[in-house]
Amino acid sequence: MNENERPTLQDQFLSALQSRGDVVSIFLVTGIRLYGKIEAFDSFSIILCNKTSQLICKHAISTISPTEPVHLELDD
């Protein structure tokens, strides 16, 4: 990302969850629920850490639900 590009809403949301170390529930499109802390992410995947680390493809994710609200500074 160059200096003129703003981070996406998705990147801001995931960065906030990662930096706070929040436990999140990730629901897959199949209905499976995974939970843990977001260890890392990129454009295509998320590494979720619980007892083990799991690489989750973003296209398989339906919803990410944190235990606490996430407040983002949104610029218009």
Side-chain angles (χ1 to χ4, degrees):
M1 179 179 342
N2 69 41
E3 62 187 54
N4 294 332
E5 289 183 40
R6 292 187 339 188
T8 65
L9 181 60
Q10 181 183 119
D11 287 341
Q12 291 177 57
F13 184 75
L14 293 173
S15 289
L17 294 172
Q18 180 184 19
S19 65
R20 291 184 347 186
D22 286 0
V23 173
V24 299
S25 292
I26 294 181
F27 295 90
L28 304 181
V29 294
T30 59
I32 293 172
R33 176 183 168 258
L34 305 171
Y35 65 95
K37 295 181 181 181
I38 295 174
E39 191 172 303
F41 64 92
D42 64 13
S43 298
F44 304 103
S45 58
I46 295 174
I47 296 178
L48 189 68
C49 186
N50 194 343
K51 293 179 182 175
T52 62
S53 292
Q54 297 176 352
L55 179 70
I56 305 164
C57 296
K58 284 184 174 178
H59 74 269
I61 296 173
S62 167
T63 307
I64 299 174
S65 181
T67 55
E68 297 292 326
V70 175
H71 301 285
L72 303 175
E73 297 294 324
L74 303 176
D75 296 330
D76 291 328

